[in-house]
């Protein structure tokens, strides 16, 4: 009987550990942006575009994006967006990030943010 209880206890611990590890792997942050040297910003409300090459402004954009925690979701049927960013690393690598209210599309993969995505930082770039 004690072997059965021990076996069940170990099984529960393993299942709980695997479940917790699975939840953590679903929550990601956009930390792949390290060497961005240019950001193209498209305002989805009025169509205005802006190209950022200033290192300080690029760092602000990277820092903000890296604070957003999100988890992968199935493709959403969303109309309209706040901003679309093309983050360029060197001459070859381009990552496209589209911002919706609490959803982001990163290179055609959808993520749900842990909060509404604030656009103030991008609004201020156009001032």
């Amino acid at each position: 009987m004690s072997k059965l209880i021990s076996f069940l206890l170990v099984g529960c611990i393993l299942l709980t550990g695997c479940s917790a590890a699975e939840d953590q792997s679903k929550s990601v942050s956009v930390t792949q942006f390290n060497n961005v040297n240019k950001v193209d910003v498209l305002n989805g409300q009025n169509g205005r575009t802006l190209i950022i090459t200033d290192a300080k402004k690029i760092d602000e954009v990277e820092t903000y994006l890296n604070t957003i925690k999100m988890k992968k979701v199935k493709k959403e049927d969303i109309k309209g967006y706040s901003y679309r960013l093309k983050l360029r690393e060197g001459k070859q690598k381009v990552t496209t990030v589209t911002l919706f209210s609490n959803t982001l599309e990163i290179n055609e993969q959808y993520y749900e943010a842990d909060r509404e995505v604030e656009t103030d930082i991008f609004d201020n770039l156009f001032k």
Side-chain angles (χ1 to χ4, degrees):
M1 184 69 164
S2 66
K3 287 183 180 180
L4 178 61
I5 293 173
S6 296
F7 179 74
L8 290 174
L9 184 60
V10 168
C12 288
I13 291 171
L14 288 174
L15 287 175
T16 304
C18 292
S19 172
E22 185 178 322
D23 288 344
Q24 289 175 350
S25 69
K26 289 182 180 178
S27 180
V28 298
S29 69
V30 185
T31 57
Q32 70 253 30
F33 307 120
N34 299 319
N35 300 311
V36 174
N37 58 354
K38 183 177 169 184
V39 179
D40 301 344
V41 183
L42 173 62
N43 185 319
Q45 297 171 359
N46 60 26
R48 290 179 59 199
T49 60
L50 179 69
I51 297 173
I52 304 168
T53 55
D54 179 81
K56 184 178 177 188
K57 289 181 181 181
I58 290 172
D59 187 53
E60 289 174 17
V61 170
E62 285 178 321
T63 300
Y64 176 70
L65 290 175
N66 288 335
T67 65
I68 301 171
K69 301 285 186 234
M70 63 193 97
K71 58 183 162 182
K72 197 181 264 191
V73 295
K74 292 183 180 178
K75 184 175 181 178
E76 306 261 338
D77 187 26
I78 301 174
K79 304 283 188 226
Y81 58 88
S82 302
Y83 287 96
R84 176 168 290 143
L85 312 172
K86 287 191 178 181
L87 296 104
R88 301 176 187 276
E89 296 180 43
K91 293 183 180 183
Q92 300 297 321
K93 185 174 179 184
V94 177
T95 302
T96 302
V97 179
T98 306
L99 306 171
F100 305 96
S101 62
N102 71 332
T103 304
L104 291 92
E105 178 187 356
I106 303 172
N107 290 338
E108 299 180 12
Q109 175 60 55
Y110 287 82
Y111 298 88
E112 182 178 292
D114 62 346
R115 64 185 186 278
E116 185 168 337
V117 178
E118 298 292 328
T119 59
D120 294 345
I121 185 171
F122 306 107
D123 296 337
N124 291 333
L125 293 172
F126 283 93
K127 292 182 180 179

